[in-house]
Amino acid sequence: MISFRPQLFVFACCLVGCAGQTTTPVAVSAAAPFTPVAAPAPATAATPATVAVAPPPASNASVTANVTKLIAEAVALPGAVAPVSLDYLFFEAQASRVWVPAGGTGSVDVFDVAKRELTRIEGFKTAERVSHGKKRTLGPSAGAVGDGFAYIGNRATQEVCSINLTTLKKSVCITLPVAIDGVEYVASTHEVWVTAPDAHSLLVLATSNKGDLKSKTVIKVDGEPEGYAVDESRGLFLTNLEDKGTTLSIDIQTHEVRDTWNAACSADGPRGIAVDSARRLLLVACTDHVQALDMAHGGALLAKLDTGAGLDNIGYVPATRLLYAAAGKAARLTVARVGDKGDFTVVASAETAEGARNAVADASGTVYVADPRGAHLLVLRDR
């Protein structure tokens, strides 16, 4: 592994068994300083800029009075030529690593938070697809951590592949019969659940202690599943139906839909989802705000938090009760504490880059955001 020393950017923040696979240690350097505006090209300024960030508009949310300066690092993804297809990120808590399925690069990049090192796992197939009149090179795009393995979904091949967490070597892959999107691990049943929006389905895969994957069942739903979360304490898998505007809870054992709640988003539908099991709070991302629903009382709407446009997946850390929302069109990261009644208190906000979305965070509160247009992993922290 080779350590890197990324260029730092300071932002003022208002507290408001597979052939051809290799694992390559990569020397990583940050891109040239970028300006978080609506242009994919990085800025050419030689010195970091300090940018005053106004508190985002918020409904049913309060804003703290203190101000924090976040330090942002733009970590260039190896082998990626901007723009690159990036979607879900996921955090491996035990080893403190951020996993970045890097789409058209045919690789998955693993960022070790403590060592500040990045490892590139290669050997994933890619394919060109036309979406909204534009060609995109697709590849690995989602994943989750299970017992000893990470499970990576590849949109190009409709595969889910397992990667050994110790060796970072790809183990086995299974090809699924339909196009896939999100990937989640259910610890209580040692299963991988895969969302398949076009097929109006959830695909359930059995896993083994060797990383093997086997098709187990298909759960049909009345719409396009988007986003996912697991409430292990109550045995529930949670997902949205983007085209129906609803949020479902599905019994992990029986595979029956237990609850259907109105997500109350716009016509664009709900996107990401997170759950606070202890307080029975459901956090649903619409395209420009997050709302808290009361799972104990029929999914009643408790509060809303405006984040700006372009919101997709969201991150949430129950231990700290902090929500992380990166809105791509607004080029803004919002961090909010979630109260016992679902109320939001904005505690941090920073400008990012246009298209940057899908935030995750580690236990220290450092935030990681996918930047497809810049081909970066953005790292935001307060020191």
Side-chain angles (χ1 to χ4, degrees):
M1 306 276 184
I2 301 176
S3 299
F4 69 93
R5 294 181 180 177
Q7 181 75 34
L8 298 184
F9 307 86
V10 180
F11 294 87
C13 170
C14 292
L15 284 182
V16 259
C18 300
Q21 184 264 338
T22 59
T23 303
T24 308
V26 181
V28 180
S29 59
F34 70 93
T35 302
V37 295
T44 57
T47 58
T50 300
V51 182
V53 182
S59 58
N60 298 335
S62 59
V63 181
T64 60
N66 296 327
V67 175
T68 289
K69 289 184 178 180
L70 293 184
I71 298 174
E73 303 170 5
V75 179
L77 299 176
V81 178
V84 64
S85 178
L86 297 176
D87 199 353
Y88 294 100
L89 308 180
F90 60 100
F91 183 68
E92 179 194 353
Q94 185 172 1
S96 194
R97 298 187 293 203
V98 181
W99 290 67
V100 187
T105 67
S107 66
V108 176
D109 301 326
V110 184
F111 180 71
D112 189 307
V113 172
K115 296 180 180 178
R116 309 197 60 72
E117 296 173 345
L118 188 147
T119 298
R120 185 183 186 194
I121 305 171
E122 301 171 287
F124 292 86
K125 296 178 181 178
T126 62
E128 277 195 348
R129 298 282 190 272
V130 177
S131 176
H132 304 292
K134 296 182 180 180
K135 284 187 177 180
R136 298 173 60 201
T137 302
L138 301 182
S141 60
V145 173
D147 292 332
F149 292 87
Y151 299 95
I152 304 296
N154 189 335
R155 284 185 181 150
T157 58
Q158 300 177 185
E159 290 179 308
V160 176
C161 301
S162 59
I163 296 176
N164 187 294
L165 293 179
T166 301
T167 64
L168 295 184
K169 298 291 185 180
K170 195 164 58 162
S171 179
V172 297
C173 298
I174 183 173
T175 302
L176 301 176
V178 294
I180 63 175
D181 186 23
V183 175
E184 180 65 297
Y185 183 76
V186 179
S188 60
T189 56
H190 306 287
E191 295 171 340
V192 173
W193 286 44
V194 183
T195 62
D198 292 346
H200 291 194
S201 300
L202 298 165
L203 311 178
V204 181
L205 312 177
T207 69
S208 76
N209 57 10
K210 296 182 179 180
D212 296 332
L213 293 161
K214 183 179 180 180
S215 294
K216 189 171 183 178
T217 192
V218 177
I219 303 171
K220 299 295 291 185
V221 292
D222 186 28
E224 301 172 359
E226 172 70 19
Y228 47 81
V230 178
D231 184 347
E232 287 279 11
S233 65
R234 293 175 179 81
L236 298 176
F237 186 92
L238 302 151
T239 190
N240 300 309
L241 297 184
E242 182 179 342
D243 57 328
K244 302 294 184 180
T246 55
T247 300
L248 307 179
S249 74
I250 300 171
D251 190 295
I252 290 171
Q253 296 294 337
T254 67
H255 301 155
E256 297 293 329
V257 174
R258 189 181 294 181
D259 301 287
T260 301
W261 299 303
N262 180 8
C265 293
S266 67
D268 292 329
R271 302 303 174 89
I273 188 171
V275 63
D276 187 318
S277 301
R279 298 184 293 171
R280 302 205 67 182
L281 297 176
L282 193 63
L283 306 174
V284 177
C286 303
T287 56
D288 61 359
H289 68 277
V290 179
Q291 46 199 26
L293 305 182
D294 186 349
M295 296 174 66
H297 296 90
L301 178 63
L302 298 174
K304 293 183 180 182
L305 169 70
D306 290 337
T307 61
L311 193 60
D312 191 13
N313 207 37
I314 52 177
Y316 181 66
V317 180
T320 60
R321 301 183 174 185
L322 290 178
L323 167 72
Y324 302 88
K329 291 182 180 179
R332 179 195 303 152
L333 169 71
T334 301
V335 183
R337 182 167 287 108
V338 182
D340 288 340
K341 297 182 179 180
D343 50 300
F344 296 103
T345 301
V346 177
V347 297
S349 176
E351 290 188 356
T352 54
E354 186 178 9
R357 60 198 181 110
N358 297 352
V360 297
D362 61 25
S364 72
T366 301
V367 192
Y368 308 88
V369 178
D371 174 16
R373 296 192 181 193
H376 298 140
L377 174 67
L378 301 183
V379 183
L380 297 107
R381 52 190 178 157
D382 64 0
R383 60 187 183 280

